[in-house]
Amino acid sequence: MDQTAQLTDNVRVAEQYATTDNLRTRRDVWGPGPEGVSPVDILRTLVVAGQHRRVLEIGCGTGQFARSVLDVSPDTDYLATDLSPAMVAATHALGVAALTTPADALPFDDGAFDGAVAAWMLYHVPDLDPALGEVRRVLRDGGAFYVATNGREHLADLLREAGGAPLVTQFTSEVAADVLGRHFAAVSQRDIETRATFPDHASAQAYLATFAPHLAAALPPFEGPRTYAGHTAVLTAR
Ligand SMILES: C[S@@+](CC[C@H](N)C(=O)[O-])C[C@H]1O[C@@H](n2cnc3c(N)ncnc32)[C@H](O)[C@@H]1O
């Protein structure tokens, strides 16, 4: 299935994140894979180790990542942003400075930040180059951009069981380094396998319904819990 067909078929991005419910439903099922490490923990370790003075996050969702960085590194001047006012309100409620803005029109001066974060959001941005150009512009020279995304086979077994196809976006782990390389001189990547555990069929359906209701309806019944592999990557671009 090509991406245009997927976008038509799946719940649109603004609709999907109009409230925080879908994101919370999806987040709760994920745990570490065979290596025993979580990509969120790896991402946070990288951001904190950067010892940045001013950090911008784009597509911050409910703000949990921002909050967790500030808990470890309270002196960081951290600004979380998102397209969705509901996400920005949830982030603000965690005591994190937050602003509603699209990633491709950042209302900040050139070089205003020395660190930037985009966690599981660039695959939602249809035209990536303007957004990446904006991140590059607001980062000072030598600043670091920390990114997390999913691979083509992320949760693909569940999608296939429901009669769907893997979600191949314009920013999978397989192409992310090349895409970032169009705007940044150096990119490093770590691939991490994760696990999604669904206690029952209804919870797997609830997950699918957050972005593909037709697949939720088509998922054949199963008994008991099921675990599926997730494939993610954490990248640093400078
Ligand atoms: C999958 S969620 C990830 C949220 C958070 N980073 C996390 O890891 O939990 C994607 C987020 O990106 C936001 N988003 C999607 N497109 C965006 C855009 N063009 N500009 C800014 N935010 C966007 C959505 O509103 C949503 O909150």
Side-chain angles (χ1 to χ4, degrees):
M1 191 189 281
D2 71 23
Q3 203 212 339
T4 312
Q6 274 183 25
L7 287 174
T8 312
D9 218 18
N10 296 333
V11 178
R12 299 164 78 91
V13 171
E15 193 185 326
Q16 195 181 140
Y17 298 111
T19 75
T20 60
D21 296 352
N22 287 331
L23 186 54
R24 292 186 200 278
T25 299
R26 290 211 294 271
R27 191 172 47 215
D28 290 348
V29 308
W30 288 104
E35 286 181 83
V37 292
S38 133
V40 173
D41 291 344
I42 289 167
L43 188 66
R44 183 187 314 102
T45 300
L46 287 170
V47 174
V48 170
Q51 296 188 316
H52 302 293
R53 196 179 59 76
R54 267 199 103 191
V55 174
L56 171 71
E57 182 173 354
I58 55 173
C60 63
T62 54
Q64 282 197 322
F65 183 76
R67 182 67 264 164
S68 74
V69 170
L70 285 166
D71 287 346
V72 181
S73 190
D75 293 334
T76 307
D77 184 358
Y78 199 110
L79 179 62
T81 65
D82 200 285
L83 192 59
S84 157
M87 295 298 181
V88 168
T91 301
H92 201 252
L94 295 180
V96 176
L99 184 75
T100 304
T101 182
D104 60 359
L106 297 172
F108 311 113
D109 292 339
D110 296 1
F113 298 89
D114 58 343
V117 175
W120 292 280
M121 67 79 64
L122 288 172
Y123 49 65
H124 285 311
V125 180
D127 193 2
L128 276 169
D129 287 304
L132 294 175
E134 277 293 84
V135 173
R136 176 66 272 179
R137 180 184 67 75
V138 303
L139 269 180
R140 70 161 171 74
D141 287 346
F145 184 30
Y146 306 96
V147 171
T149 195
N150 296 330
R152 283 189 201 125
E153 282 297 305
H154 186 74
L155 216 52
D157 289 340
L158 174 64
L159 298 171
R160 289 192 192 98
E161 264 180 51
L167 282 174
V168 181
T169 68
Q170 78 284 21
F171 196 72
T172 59
S173 312
E174 290 80 6
V175 300
D178 285 347
V179 173
L180 291 170
R182 299 202 290 256
H183 297 267
F184 294 86
V187 182
S188 61
Q189 174 167 347
R190 176 170 175 184
D191 293 307
I192 305 140
E193 203 175 313
T194 54
R195 291 286 180 271
T197 301
F198 300 101
D200 51 32
H201 179 255
S203 65
Q205 281 190 306
Y207 187 104
L208 287 171
T210 66
F211 63 97
H214 62 295
L215 295 184
L219 183 68
F222 60 78
E223 294 294 324
R226 284 233 176 140
T227 297
Y228 296 87
H231 298 271
T232 65
V234 172
L235 301 100
T236 305
R238 292 175 199 277

